[in-house]
Amino acid sequence: MKKYLPAILIGAYAFFITISIIAGYQPGKDVGNNFLEYSISMIKILPCAFILIGLFEVWIKREVIEKHLGKDSRFMGYLWAMLLGSVTIGPMIVSLPIAQSLFKKGASMRVIFAYLGASTVCRIPMTIFEASCIGVKFTIVRYVVSIPLILIFAVFYGRHLDKKHYALAGE
Amino acid sequence: MYLFIITGVALLVSLIANKKKTLQGLKKAWKKFIKMVVPLSVVLVLVSFALYFMTPEMISKYLSGGHQAIGVLIASAFGSITLMPGFIAFPLSGILRDNNVSYMIISAFTTTLMMVGLLTFPVEQKFLGTRVAVIRNVASLFTALIVALITGIIFGEIFV
């Protein structure tokens, strides 16, 4: 039953939207428009993201990632993870498959969490936009407070998972 | 746009360097994409409903005027539920600020929007596993609340 839940949900949704369009039910049409808008914004990012991830997996040697982002990496590992996170484009939906690839190549969970954290709060294009809309001081405060907290979480929880040999979902 | 150029150049260089490896990479990319389609569709369905109810007008109505602490809680609830692209969220935050909504409340809203995702949970769960995904979200919620609190202190909105 649980396995079919997504299919049932998507089917019912498609039915609802179709009926709404036929019957001219405005709220249903609005929801459908939202879906379309978001799908388009995803389609603009996801194919490129996945192609780059695919190329990363065939070209980058495991030893390189293991050495710089693996269990024995220290400060520099976090720095690389944060840099990579800040240049990642798109929502967490994009950074998760990247995290999975890094893990497959031997990155530690500590570094993965630093990467995920940075990809949520430090994305460069987002930051610039935020600062221009709300204010530079606001953005600086957010950075200065959230980055140490992200790193604390990454270090402690990541280390805990590394010790347990936690594995991210594979292929 | 830059993303297309970067991807195109990377693909071209890769093709010239090694055709077989490139095809292998594309195959991997396709496989990953296919695996993502179902959870992503579920997320898009949920988000399309959430954004119908959570319009910018509605958010700004609930966050304007009223108690600071309650405002922070409502803002983090709004931010935690859904994902919202920056081009809607940040201009909205600018409007909120012009309507005298405190920086603390705006911070709770934008930070949870970035870090916590209830409706995107199906995708996160698929990659991180249920337990780790829950813990990451809870920790992120606390991080966002701390960020909001310190923002409030620095901007002189609380404890003055």
Side-chain angles (χ1 to χ4, degrees), chain A residues 69-142:
Chain A
L69 304 177
K71 286 195 174 60
D72 302 321
S73 69
R74 294 194 175 272
F75 173 74
M76 285 305 282
Y78 294 111
L79 195 67
W80 284 123
M82 307 277 299
L83 279 176
L84 189 60
S86 54
V87 297
T88 300
I89 303 169
M92 222 184 144
I93 288 171
V94 177
S95 43
L96 284 166
I98 296 175
Q100 186 195 38
S101 283
L102 289 173
F103 181 80
K104 260 173 63 183
K105 293 277 180 187
S108 70
M109 287 303 287
R110 293 178 292 134
V111 170
I112 299 265
F113 276 120
Y115 165 71
L116 284 177
S119 80
T120 54
V121 301
C122 310
R123 294 199 303 269
I124 291 168
M126 182 189 80
T127 305
I128 295 169
F129 193 32
E130 181 200 37
S132 64
C133 286
I134 313 177
V136 177
K137 188 178 164 193
F138 178 86
T139 302
I140 291 173
V141 173
R142 192 173 64 73

Side-chain angles (χ1 to χ4, degrees), chain B residues 57-78:
Chain B
E57 295 79 37
M58 184 265 199
I59 292 170
S60 118
K61 191 183 130 202
Y62 276 91
L63 297 186
S64 307
H67 197 267
Q68 288 293 319
I70 295 170
V72 166
L73 291 182
I74 297 175
S76 22
F78 280 156

